[in-house]
Amino acid sequence: MLKDVTRALRTTVCLGLAITALPAGIAGQQVRDVAGKVLAARDSASIDGVHVQVVSLGLTALSDARGDFRLRGVPRIRLAVAVSRIGVVADTVWLEPAQDSLVVFLESSAVQLAPVTTQARPVARERFEQIVQPSVVSIDRETITRIPGFAEADVVRAVQLLPGTIATNDYTVGFNVRGGEPDQNLIQLDGITIFNPSHLGGLFSTFDADAVENVEFITGAFPAEYGGRLSSVMDVVVRPGRSDRIGVRGNVSLISSKALIEGPIPGTRASFLVGARRTYADALIGALSSETMPYYFADAVGKVLLPFRSGGSISATGYWGRDVVNWPWIEEEPGREGIDLVANWGNRLFGLRLQRPLGATELTVDAGMTGFSTTFGLEPGVFNADNDVRMLTSRVVWALSPGATHDVRIGGGLEDYRMTYDISSESFSASYFEAMYEPRIWSVFVDDQWQASSWLMLRPGLRMEAVEGPDVVKWAPRIGFKSFLSDDLAVTGSVGRYHQAIHSLRDQNVPWNLLDFWIGADTILPVAHSDHVVLGFEAWLTPGLSLSVEGYWKSFEDIIDANLEEDTRIQGDETIPVSGDAWGADVLLMKHSGSVTGWIAYGLSKATRWTTDQEYAAVHDRRHNLNLVLQAPGPLGSDASIRIGYGSPLPYTPFVGEWRHRFYQVTQHELDDYQQEPIASPILNSARYPYYSRIDVSFRWEIDKWGGKLKPYLQFVNLLNRKNVFFYTFDYGNTPPTRSALSQLPLLPTVGLEFEF
């Protein structure tokens, strides 16, 4: 008995000594700071709010909005690290002695607590509680890829289905926002402006949905950080590549194919993403028949991201795209040389971004180059028209919190433009038109997110733009507010002034513009400005169902329209000054979670323009616009999506007659042949087309195969084959004259296959 007591006492003393010595032993070891990142296993998207814990030591951290976390003072021994959060599957991973970084991939999982289901809150809910910004909607990549469309998912087509946005026809990815013109929308890719973001005359946008992380769309009253446009901001964020392994995904459809490769860069902490796309109707038709398809487009996007161990990152984003037309205009014959219609146009873009935390503040530095060029000609040497737009940008933003109730952003930047035009004929040794615009814009801004009280948030801001060329300085004050009437209901509003120093030289009364031709403010062309007034409310009816209602009014001063009576020998008469205003209301009911998601978007609007001669409805003056987008489980195990759209009639300028110009033939001494010239109504946009409607549906399946996922899909654009009018043609050879309608997109079934490995 005494031996047993002695043995137990000895064991207890030894264990006590070991426990007592443990902290000293650990303290004597070498320690390190471990930088980590939490990503979604499905698509490597960042996950915030994840609880990271070294249980044996009591060390904890929380992942931020980029998924980053940091564990400080970790001993160099093998340790278990537990990660958990509502909405993901909890996991435990090992941290080895030589490791200073850790990447954790988590599977998503809804947490069911009988009798309710709990899941992560929508991003829109967090924005509702924390940010003063009316008129803003965010769309993630998964939502974009599920919306039915033509051939493949399209970022801009998704934006066109939001309230306040009007697409005048099926053949354009241009859009009008709350009475503004397409060139008044600031469209950015990772913060770098992109011009003419479309392919195939507007059927495709330049953005590869597989490379997109999310899209933030602000339809008006945007904060002082944004400038240079009058109507809206669409900021497209390219996602970083996977940091754990090489991944491949792509899509094969009836008219185009694309592929994307992503993964870590060996020997570094950096990741990369590269994607490319091309239509192949030209090659397919040429291989299967003697006919030719004189058109194709191709584009590519890439991103490299290098996170720093001490926090922050540096990234580089690039884009290149080109549309090419080579069409035999006049066939070659004996004694006559053939003439080809040759055209190509496209964008190129490269940007760098440095994000660096400086204590409690953060510094962001952007630098980039973006450009658009187009060439149109009749070759060889008959006629040639060239337009080149180049923009160099740099910007610095400092984010700081001078107090517990203030989040301030201070910044400044430079935009340096060079726009050239050249219309000439080599065969005739003639130069018909030459022009160059070189505006340079210096800007500074301050934007303060102020929690004035528990129920009131204010967002005052001021932007200054100094424009070289016209040599003017423009001030743009802005202020927004959000007043909480309850935890789920807030009144919102904003007032501000906006300026734009570049314009698109286009005829807004033409139903389809292949391209925008850009010109800049100078001593002749003014800097346009617009005032915005927005008032509305936001409400959360349930944790996953939100409603926003906003009324707005906007003015437009010193905008331009094409001068149809210009003299090409005179520089400066290419445009005429135009003013206008717009008012309306937007309603958005959005379901963010559950088996059925989507939105109902309704817009009421009236857009008016006036010149020195007359007042008229803008070409996009659509009084009512309605879009229903729903995504839900479909038949045969599919993921189904439906879009139902309605638009009230759009205005147009009708033809009221026709001139027939006869030509006198001297040798025959008679009038022979004639040229027909339609006569337009002197009252612009005095008639209206019929209403517009369209139903699109899509069905997608997901099959686990060969270690990856195959995702076949079937889509129907314009399911009911509605004959929506594109424009009218008139035949005055009949008595009375007859009118015929050219329709927009017919019923178009498409099939395709997405893959992901």
Side-chain angles (χ1 to χ4, degrees):
M1 183 66 177
L2 182 61
K3 290 182 179 180
D4 293 338
V5 172
T6 304
R7 187 181 299 110
L9 181 61
R10 186 186 300 115
T11 302
T12 303
V13 171
C14 291
L15 182 60
L17 291 173
I19 294 174
T20 304
L22 182 60
I26 292 177
Q29 294 176 9
Q30 183 182 2
V31 296
R32 54 195 162 158
D33 288 349
V34 177
K37 197 172 191 67
V38 184
L39 304 173
R42 177 183 176 87
D43 56 7
S44 295
S46 302
I47 305 179
D48 63 345
V50 176
H51 187 69
V52 183
Q53 184 178 26
V54 182
V55 181
S56 61
L57 301 177
L59 297 175
T60 62
L62 197 68
S63 65
D64 61 18
R66 293 188 293 269
D68 296 330
F69 66 86
R70 180 170 291 276
L71 295 167
R72 301 185 183 277
V74 182
R76 288 197 177 276
I77 58 176
R78 193 169 189 260
L79 295 167
V81 180
V83 287
S84 62
R85 195 201 78 168
I86 292 177
V88 300
V89 177
D91 198 1
T92 300
V93 296
W94 286 99
L95 180 67
E96 301 299 332
Q99 268 186 275
D100 292 329
S101 63
L102 184 65
V103 180
V104 183
F105 290 89
L106 298 179
E107 299 284 350
S108 60
S109 173
V111 179
Q112 185 170 348
L113 302 174
V116 297
T117 300
T118 304
Q119 50 185 208
R121 297 197 308 168
V123 174
R125 176 71 196 201
E126 303 212 0
R127 186 174 59 236
F128 166 77
E129 296 177 353
Q130 301 173 11
I131 299 177
V132 179
Q133 179 53 64
S135 314
V136 59
V137 180
S138 295
I139 311 177
D140 58 27
R141 175 166 53 91
E142 184 176 355
T143 300
I144 293 170
T145 56
R146 294 171 65 189
I147 294 175
F150 176 63
E152 63 182 51
D154 195 288
V155 174
V156 179
R157 296 291 182 187
V159 168
Q160 290 178 347
L161 305 180
L162 296 174
T165 308
I166 292 174
T168 54
N169 59 72
D170 293 340
Y171 300 116
T172 178
V173 292
F175 51 92
N176 302 82
V177 180
R178 291 185 173 179
E181 307 297 346
D183 67 321
Q184 295 168 3
N185 304 317
L186 177 61
I187 301 175
Q188 297 183 323
L189 187 69
D190 272 1
I192 305 297
T193 300
I194 188 166
F195 300 95
N196 291 318
S198 66
H199 290 299
L200 198 57
L203 280 177
F204 291 89
S205 73
T206 58
F207 306 111
D208 180 356
D210 286 340
V212 171
E213 184 168 21
N214 62 69
V215 178
E216 185 169 275
F217 184 49
I218 310 176
T219 56
F222 35 93
E225 183 172 347
Y226 295 104
R229 296 294 190 276
L230 301 184
S231 284
S232 74
V233 175
M234 189 176 83
D235 195 0
V236 180
V237 178
V238 179
R239 65 183 180 86
R242 299 183 64 124
S243 57
D244 60 327
R245 63 174 179 84
I246 296 295
V248 179
R249 66 175 65 204
N251 180 33
V252 178
S253 68
L254 293 177
I255 64 173
S256 68
S257 290
K258 62 182 180 180
L260 183 146
I261 303 175
E262 57 183 319
I265 298 177
T268 72
R269 303 179 70 243
S271 64
F272 75 94
L273 178 148
V274 177
R277 174 175 57 168
R278 191 191 192 279
T279 59
Y280 44 72
D282 58 326
L284 186 62
I285 291 175
L288 299 179
S289 70
S290 59
E291 301 295 326
T292 60
M293 173 68 176
Y295 171 84
Y296 73 89
F297 78 77
D299 60 14
V301 63
K303 183 170 185 174
V304 175
L305 175 69
L306 174 62
F308 300 133
R309 295 185 185 277
S310 57
S313 63
I314 185 170
S315 63
T317 302
Y319 173 84
W320 171 88
R322 210 72 190 160
D323 292 63
V324 177
V325 175
N326 194 338
W327 185 13
W329 186 259
I330 298 177
E331 296 291 341
E332 182 178 1
E333 295 181 358
R336 185 183 71 182
E337 188 176 16
I339 297 177
D340 295 337
L341 188 155
V342 178
N344 65 83
W345 61 92
N347 290 280
R348 68 270 186 196
L349 175 152
F350 180 76
L352 293 172
R353 170 167 289 180
L354 170 68
Q355 292 180 301
R356 190 75 175 178
L358 302 173
T361 69
E362 183 177 71
L363 182 69
T364 301
V365 180
D366 290 325
M369 184 284 296
T370 183
F372 174 82
S373 62
T374 181
T375 297
F376 174 84
L378 296 175
E379 299 292 346
V382 178
F383 173 82
N384 194 74
D386 295 312
N387 169 220
D388 187 78
V389 180
R390 186 269 297 150
M391 172 185 174
L392 302 178
T393 62
S394 61
R395 191 179 74 147
V396 177
V397 179
W398 184 29
L400 64 157
S401 298
T405 60
H406 290 270
D407 288 310
V408 179
R409 293 175 68 83
I410 300 173
L414 168 65
E415 298 176 1
D416 186 89
Y417 295 89
R418 188 174 187 270
M419 308 170 180
T420 61
Y421 292 85
D422 181 18
I423 302 176
S424 62
S425 172
E426 181 181 349
S427 299
F428 297 101
S429 301
S431 178
Y432 302 110
F433 180 75
E434 291 183 359
M436 180 182 295
Y437 302 89
E438 295 184 292
R440 181 179 292 117
I441 305 171
W442 300 86
S443 63
V444 294
F445 74 88
V446 59
D447 179 58
D448 180 16
Q449 176 90 16
W450 175 25
Q451 184 76 53
S453 69
S454 60
W455 58 271
L456 179 63
M457 299 171 66
L458 299 175
R459 192 171 187 176
L462 179 64
R463 185 179 183 88
M464 185 278 293
E465 295 178 351
V467 186
E468 295 183 21
D471 297 331
V472 296
V473 175
K474 300 293 184 178
W475 295 89
R478 304 165 193 182
I479 185 169
F481 77 91
K482 179 174 286 187
S483 175
F484 290 92
L485 305 182
S486 71
D487 290 342
D488 298 318
L489 177 63
V491 177
T492 62
S494 184
V495 178
R497 168 156 288 196
Y498 303 85
H499 295 98
Q500 181 167 332
I502 63 173
H503 310 268
S504 170
L505 185 61
R506 60 185 292 179
D507 182 3
Q508 300 292 348
N509 295 303
V510 174
W512 183 51
N513 289 277
L514 184 65
L515 300 171
D516 283 336
F517 293 92
W518 295 87
I519 57 178
D522 56 16
T523 55
I524 299 174
L525 289 172
V527 176
H529 71 269
S530 174
D531 294 322
H532 294 196
V533 179
V534 178
L535 181 64
F537 71 86
E538 300 177 43
W540 283 81
L541 309 179
T542 70
L545 182 65
S546 65
L547 171 67
S548 68
V549 178
E550 289 185 351
Y552 65 87
W553 174 84
K554 295 167 67 173
S555 66
F556 301 95
E557 298 292 340
D558 293 327
I559 60 177
I560 64 171
D561 204 348
N563 181 9
L564 302 182
E565 299 179 357
E566 69 162 314
D567 187 339
T568 57
R569 298 168 296 179
I570 302 175
Q571 185 172 346
D573 72 338
E574 298 84 14
T575 67
I576 56 175
V578 178
S579 300
D581 65 7
W583 60 263
D586 292 335
V587 180
L588 178 63
L589 179 66
M590 179 172 280
K591 193 170 188 298
H592 303 267
S593 57
S595 60
V596 179
T597 59
W599 64 83
I600 300 175
Y602 169 74
L604 167 70
S605 64
K606 180 176 175 58
T608 306
R609 298 288 183 265
W610 55 83
T611 64
T612 55
D613 298 324
Q614 62 177 300
E615 179 178 319
Y616 57 95
V619 70
H620 48 272
D621 179 42
R622 171 166 280 161
R623 198 71 67 246
H624 305 281
N625 199 51
L626 177 67
N627 280 292
L628 168 66
V629 179
L630 290 179
Q631 298 163 341
L636 303 177
S638 67
D639 184 5
S641 181
I642 182 171
R643 174 259 176 143
I644 302 175
Y646 166 82
S648 59
L650 284 171
Y652 73 98
T653 303
F655 293 132
V656 296
E658 180 179 85
W659 288 103
R660 294 191 177 184
H661 300 285
R662 293 190 178 274
F663 297 92
Y664 177 66
Q665 303 295 331
V666 177
T667 55
Q668 286 82 25
H669 190 59
E670 63 181 7
L671 293 171
D672 189 19
D673 299 328
Y674 59 84
Q675 179 180 353
Q676 296 176 320
E677 180 182 339
I679 303 171
S681 169
I683 304 175
L684 292 176
N685 294 335
S686 56
R688 291 194 177 250
Y689 293 115
Y691 74 88
Y692 173 94
S693 68
R694 202 174 97 185
I695 298 177
D696 304 335
V697 296
S698 73
F699 304 95
R700 295 175 178 270
W701 292 264
E702 186 171 301
I703 304 169
D704 293 326
K705 193 75 172 178
W706 302 316
K709 296 183 184 298
L710 301 181
K711 303 177 182 180
Y713 60 86
L714 171 64
Q715 300 187 127
F716 297 91
V717 172
N718 195 8
L719 180 65
L720 301 183
N721 199 27
R722 160 85 178 169
K723 304 296 183 183
N724 295 302
V725 176
F726 184 37
F727 64 83
Y728 289 123
T729 60
F730 297 84
D731 186 352
Y732 292 92
N734 298 324
T735 304
T738 58
R739 184 183 72 182
S740 302
L742 181 64
S743 297
Q744 301 184 44
L745 286 179
L747 167 63
L748 287 175
T750 59
V751 294
L753 176 66
E754 296 177 357
F755 55 88
E756 180 181 347
F757 294 95

